[in-house]
Amino acid sequence: MTDFDFAAPGRVLFGRGRAAMLPGLCQGLGARALLVRGKSSTFGRDAAAMLRDSGLGVSELIASGEPDIASVEGAVAAGRAAEADLVVAIGGGSVIDLGKAAAALIPSDGDWMRHLEVVGQGAPLDAAPLPLVALPTTSGTGAEATRNAVIGVPEAGRKVSLRDARMLPDIALVDPALTDGSPWSVTLGPGLDAFVQLVEAWLSTKATPWTDGLVAPLIPTVLPALEMLRQREDPAARDAMALASLSSGMALANGGLGAAHGLAGVLGGRLGAPHGALCGRLMGPVLRANRAAGGEVAGRVAQVEAWVEGALSKKLDDWADDAGLPRLSVMGLRTADRDEIARAAQASSSMKGNPVVLSVGALAAILGEAS
């Protein structure tokens, strides 16, 4: 039996209607909360009143876009000014990542950039993060169950991680009802991110019996749920996507990722394109590149392809075209930039989990296929 560790949020609560438990769950975690929320989240607005009614001091921070150096510094400053001793993050993956970064850095001293991977030293945090409660309002990144926050570094043209084992939320509160009625544009990209995270954890060199058991039953469920939601609103499909998202976060936190995420991190920093859309468009070409290695890797890829085609009766790339997912050229990737992006992607932390070492040429070919 393979030795392995498994890390997860301190407590996970999943189910429709469970978001109402938020005030009670915060009791004992802190007295003054920094509430980081998305501007479009109805529940995020309601949560502020709920928390105040429970006796908690609340300072609100409205997040916009994906977190970058400036927004992280703003969130840390806001939390310190409010003397926050608790962070509550309600929103999509970007909002939760901003909340995680704030919780991690509010207690920290010194130059926080050294804690970043790739552009910094990836140093551990100086101090333990503040308690964190995370409530996702989209189904995709699984950020409520991961130990990192993805942060854009514009001057480097990269998205990199702030990572520490202590950044796992104390409470992950997943209520699928918070995702009901999300528009297709907010459903497709994040949903494909969850799918790719499950698949890459399955293929990863860091996969364990536990992560295999977590992702194998869910990989076949994601694309049919998305296809249902493309046609009409469906609570059961929303529930399936919320479970897949949560589980994909746990899977990547313990089993790693691969080349699709390695490339997407660089592309996102260069193009400003949505992360999930990038991952979804890259997954098909990455699967084919990994399958070419043969052996056990090819067998695992073949299993993924069988799950996909068995569920959809078509290949992943064809379904993505039908679903309206743009190709990389439409997102702004130029042919002349493929080699440079491939070289940069080789240094990403996600690439370390890919089951095959891919050359710059192979990665550039993947970018070409996805264009």
Side-chain angles (χ1 to χ4, degrees), residues 51-313:
L51 293 172
R52 291 189 179 108
D53 289 345
S54 73
L56 198 67
V58 178
S59 177
E60 295 183 66
L61 176 68
I62 311 302
S64 179
E66 297 184 351
D68 59 15
I69 298 298
S71 61
V72 169
E73 290 179 341
V76 170
R80 289 175 177 168
E83 299 183 339
D85 55 7
L86 165 68
V87 175
V88 178
I90 303 174
S94 295
V95 174
I96 293 176
D97 273 359
L98 182 60
K100 287 162 73 175
L105 296 173
I106 287 170
S108 183
D109 293 323
D111 178 16
W112 69 273
M113 292 283 289
R114 66 190 182 86
H115 301 301
L116 293 178
E117 296 177 347
V118 182
V119 299
Q121 290 79 54
L125 297 173
D126 297 323
L130 297 181
L132 173 66
V133 181
L135 290 82
T137 60
T138 63
S139 294
T141 68
E144 68 276 9
T146 63
R147 62 184 101 190
N148 70 301
V150 179
I151 299 168
V153 186
E155 57 269 31
R158 296 292 296 271
K159 291 181 181 179
V160 300
S161 280
L162 171 69
R163 190 187 311 272
D164 191 287
R166 294 167 293 177
M167 287 176 62
L168 280 161
D170 294 81
I171 296 175
L173 181 53
V174 184
D175 185 338
L178 299 185
T179 71
D180 287 351
S182 297
W184 181 236
S185 60
V186 180
T187 300
L188 176 61
L192 286 172
D193 191 20
F195 173 74
V196 175
Q197 287 171 177
L198 291 169
V199 169
E200 292 203 312
W202 167 259
L203 297 174
S204 173
T205 58
K206 303 175 185 178
T208 71
W210 195 306
T211 57
D212 282 353
L214 183 64
V215 305
L218 295 175
I219 291 172
T221 70
V222 178
L223 298 181
L226 283 174
E227 178 61 23
M228 173 62 73
L229 292 168
R230 183 161 74 107
Q231 299 172 26
R232 62 180 175 84
E233 186 62 28
D234 184 82
R238 293 289 181 193
D239 292 353
M241 291 305 304
L243 179 60
S245 178
L246 169 66
S247 301
S248 77
M250 291 183 179
L252 78 87
N254 292 279
L257 291 168
H261 273 83
L263 287 164
V266 180
L267 287 166
R270 298 289 184 91
L271 307 179
H275 174 74
L278 291 168
C279 289
R281 184 47 77 184
L282 288 162
M283 189 74 265
V286 167
L287 285 173
R288 290 189 287 276
N290 286 335
R291 185 181 58 202
E296 183 181 354
V297 173
R300 287 217 160 204
V301 172
Q303 178 62 75
V304 173
E305 293 172 335
W307 281 328
V308 171
E309 294 179 29
L312 298 175
S313 300

